[in-house]
Amino acid sequence: MKGNITFTMIKPTAVSKGYSAPILNMIHENGFRISAMKMLQLTENDAKEFYAVHKERPFYSDLVGFMSSGPIIAAILEKDNAVEDYRKLIGATDPAKAEEGTIRKLYAATVQENAVHGSDSDENAEAEGIFFFSMKDRF
Ligand code: CMP
């Protein structure tokens, strides 16, 4: 059965450019309920751990530096078929390949500074949610 939660981060450049409110509005307008949310700055170790699956990739250390460079917004989103529907809403990882009207097409700068993260599976949505939020932080 498809899960009903996904996890997202609004990344440092999108936050610093003032895109958080329009991105959160798109999330709301597209039928997602925000069940947990906070603004925080990742430490380098947090970013290394969160993106550990990419540690052999050539972009890993740049990605860790970028993701710990400034505040982010982390959130758990609820909706039927949340993972797949949110990935459609955010568009391709590389904003140059993202469809018109997607969050990344509208607000991403580059493949690294691609405005938002979205979980790629129900299992990762659970694990990523747990990374940031205890049960008492969820509503
Ligand atoms: P995200 O959805 O957060 O998941 C992994 C991140 O790695 C991705 O978004 C990008 O920020 C980054 N990433 C993926 N591919 C590349 C790439 N080819 N070059 C630089 N960064 C990348």
Side-chain angles (χ1 to χ4, degrees):
M1 197 184 90
K2 303 270 171 90
N4 68 344
I5 68 157
T6 191
F7 170 79
T8 190
M9 288 186 285
I10 304 178
K11 298 189 180 188
T13 332
V15 171
S16 68
K17 286 183 173 166
Y19 297 154
S20 303
I23 290 171
L24 289 169
N25 192 48
M26 283 181 76
I27 288 170
H28 171 70
E29 291 295 325
N30 282 275
F32 294 87
R33 189 180 84 83
I34 297 170
S35 62
M37 183 164 71
K38 63 183 164 188
M39 189 173 197
L40 73 153
Q41 184 159 359
L42 294 173
T43 64
E44 219 178 281
N45 274 342
D46 291 334
K48 277 185 184 161
E49 196 184 330
F50 185 87
Y51 281 114
V53 66
H54 296 301
K55 64 176 184 288
E56 306 303 334
R57 308 288 285 275
F59 57 79
Y60 179 65
S61 72
D62 276 358
L63 178 63
V64 166
F66 166 58
M67 287 303 298
S68 55
S69 67
I72 60 151
I73 290 172
I76 295 174
L77 310 178
E78 276 182 17
K79 183 181 186 296
D80 286 346
N81 202 30
V83 167
E84 202 180 317
D85 287 1
Y86 191 59
R87 288 177 75 80
K88 269 190 211 139
L89 177 62
I90 67 180
T93 305
D94 180 351
K97 296 178 187 151
E99 284 187 30
E100 291 300 328
T102 60
I103 291 176
R104 284 172 171 157
K105 188 70 178 184
L106 289 164
Y107 298 113
T110 65
V111 66
Q112 177 172 273
E113 299 186 26
N114 61 352
V116 289
H117 167 80
S119 306
D120 63 4
S121 66
D122 290 342
E123 295 70 32
N124 284 341
E126 285 293 336
E128 291 170 1
I130 288 167
F131 190 91
F132 284 90
F133 299 102
S134 70
M135 291 319 285
K136 71 177 168 49
D137 296 325
R138 302 181 188 207
F139 300 92

